Amino acid sequence: SARFWSCTDATAERAYLASNGGLYNYSANNSNLSDRNAKKDIALAAGTWDCIKDWEIVNYRYKDQPYDADLNLGVIAQQVAESCPEVITIFQEAKEATEDKPAQEERLGVKEQQMYWMAIKALQEAMERIEQLESKVAALESA
């Protein structure tokens, strides 16, 4: 895994982009703009419970990984697309073969950050359902 791009300061390497496509950073302190002043059309998100419960979480290796490489954990984009097409993106467009280059098939990707927020929304929904059930159980037990 060669390093294509590296960020260092006076004391240490802080981030790098590896040949395996991974972006590594010193302390996982990724930051995305989330300030209210940069957003418009703000509204509470719809429930994500039904969408997320359909996702199949799988173990896998990429075809170019050796057989003894650690298994990855994730999803298959085509399967997620069945219930949540809004988190699917085209990672690689299909291209026909030319004299200089072989054909290239379309490859799908997932918008992981959006999926994380959907999972948190589903967790909130689960917490609400649990709290409602706890109230019902408490009422039954006190009766």
Side-chain angles (χ1 to χ4, degrees):
S1 56
R3 295 177 184 199
F4 288 137
W5 175 68
S6 182
C7 299
T8 58
D9 64 14
T11 60
E13 183 171 51
R14 299 297 178 183
Y16 67 90
L17 180 62
S19 63
N20 67 4
L23 178 60
Y24 297 76
N25 72 51
Y26 184 75
S27 63
N29 56 358
N30 301 326
S31 178
N32 293 299
L33 179 62
S34 190
D35 191 281
R36 177 180 323 166
N37 297 316
K39 298 178 180 184
K40 64 181 182 179
D41 303 328
I42 300 169
L44 289 178
T48 60
W49 183 279
D50 291 328
C51 178
I52 287 180
K53 76 178 182 181
D54 290 338
W55 294 351
E56 294 175 0
I57 310 300
V58 298
N59 289 309
Y60 65 93
R61 288 185 186 90
Y62 286 105
K63 290 181 177 180
D64 65 352
Q65 287 182 294
Y67 290 103
D68 60 350
D70 290 341
L71 287 169
N72 300 298
L73 179 68
V75 295
I76 304 299
Q78 288 83 349
Q79 190 276 323
V80 172
E82 295 171 13
S83 59
C84 301
E86 66 273 20
V87 299
I88 302 302
T89 187
I90 296 174
F91 186 85
Q92 170 183 288
E93 291 189 17
K95 293 183 182 174
E96 292 188 26
T98 65
E99 286 185 28
D100 301 338
K101 296 181 182 178
Q104 182 172 290
E105 65 184 0
E106 180 179 81
R107 297 282 174 96
L108 300 180
V110 293
K111 299 175 185 173
E112 287 186 342
Q113 185 170 5
Q114 296 301 307
M115 294 171 77
Y116 297 148
W117 288 114
M118 291 174 77
I120 291 171
K121 178 67 176 171
L123 175 61
Q124 290 174 332
E125 292 174 56
M127 292 166 66
E128 186 175 325
R129 290 180 183 199
I130 291 167
E131 289 167 352
Q132 289 172 356
L133 289 172
E134 288 174 338
S135 294
K136 289 179 181 179
V137 168
L140 288 171
E141 287 176 342
S142 65

